[in-house]
Amino acid sequence: GPGFDLREAFRSVGAARVEAFSQQAPHVFADLSKNLIDPTAEALLLDLARECDMPGHRDAMFAGQPINNTEQRAVKHWLLRVPKGGSTDPDLAQVHATLDAMLAFAESTRADAGITDIVNIGIGGSDLGPQMVVGALEGFALPGKRFHFVSNVDGHELAALMGKVRPESTLFLIASKTFTTTET
């Protein structure tokens, strides 16, 4: 609530707070102890999740049921994290074939010194996600590659960028989950 003091919470329980509000899975550790949450709020959130049948929705997702209500389709992004042979889902082989093709394309792009600029055209998560990844991995970037992001519908942003890049050395990526996004 409004009277919750995070510093006091750490003073009173110390390391036990980190243990109580942390989750671990293979290759992932999430420390939620620095959030404004206490055991009561956590219990209420877990109760709400059960009341909303979150476990049922989770199970429906893993079963491939069409839980995306706006598009009436299955939500199978979780297959991206399943190793080859790690599931009997019939789409897993196609997911890994696509991931392998994406890796081959990325490696050929990195190796091609003729490509100096990469322009990502997308909106929403198709813009912000790639921007975040490029920023997070900036320390691993190869010299000689510049990244640009275009997400403005009016075309001015793209027109300004076109004056700074050379078409023969620029790779354009069109990012869209469904390729039905009007703005992209």
Side-chain angles (χ1 to χ4, degrees), residues 46 48-60:
L46 290 170
L48 178 61
R50 282 186 288 276
E51 285 179 33
C52 295
D53 191 28
M54 193 190 78
H57 291 288
R58 178 205 56 218
D59 294 344

Side-chain angles (χ1 to χ4, degrees), residues 28-63:
V28 176
F29 177 74
D31 176 3
L32 305 177
S33 67
K34 281 109 183 141
N35 288 278
L36 299 177
I37 189 169
D38 62 14
T40 302
E42 180 184 43
L44 290 169
L45 288 169
L46 290 170
D47 287 345
L48 178 61
R50 282 186 288 276
E51 285 179 33
C52 295
D53 191 28
M54 193 190 78
H57 291 288
R58 178 205 56 218
D59 294 344
M61 177 185 71
F62 286 125

Side-chain angles (χ1 to χ4, degrees), residues 17 24 65 96 157:
R17 180 169 174 80
Q24 189 158 0
Q65 295 177 14
H96 278 281
E157 188 176 22

Side-chain angles (χ1 to χ4, degrees), residues 134-155:
V134 166
L137 299 177
E138 189 173 27
F140 301 98
L142 295 175
K145 306 279 189 213
R146 291 181 299 265
F147 299 93
H148 313 275
F149 300 90
V150 176
S151 65
N152 201 319
V153 180
D154 71 10

Side-chain angles (χ1 to χ4, degrees), residues 90-109:
D91 293 326
L92 184 62
Q94 181 183 354
V95 166
H96 278 281
T98 301
L99 289 172
D100 291 345
M102 289 169 59
L103 178 59
F105 180 72
E107 288 175 341
S108 71
T109 299

Side-chain angles (χ1 to χ4, degrees), residues 13 33 73 97 122 156 176:
V13 295
S33 67
R73 52 191 247 171
H156 178 75
S176 176

Side-chain angles (χ1 to χ4, degrees), residues 60-108:
M61 177 185 71
F62 286 125
Q65 295 177 14
I67 63 168
N68 178 327
N69 295 329
T70 58
E71 298 172 6
Q72 298 305 312
R73 52 191 247 171
V75 178
K76 290 193 164 185
H77 59 278
W78 58 272
L79 284 173
L80 293 167
R81 293 182 292 280
V82 176
K84 288 181 182 178
S87 170
T88 57
D89 190 288
D91 293 326
L92 184 62
Q94 181 183 354
V95 166
H96 278 281
T98 301
L99 289 172
D100 291 345
M102 289 169 59
L103 178 59
F105 180 72
E107 288 175 341
S108 71

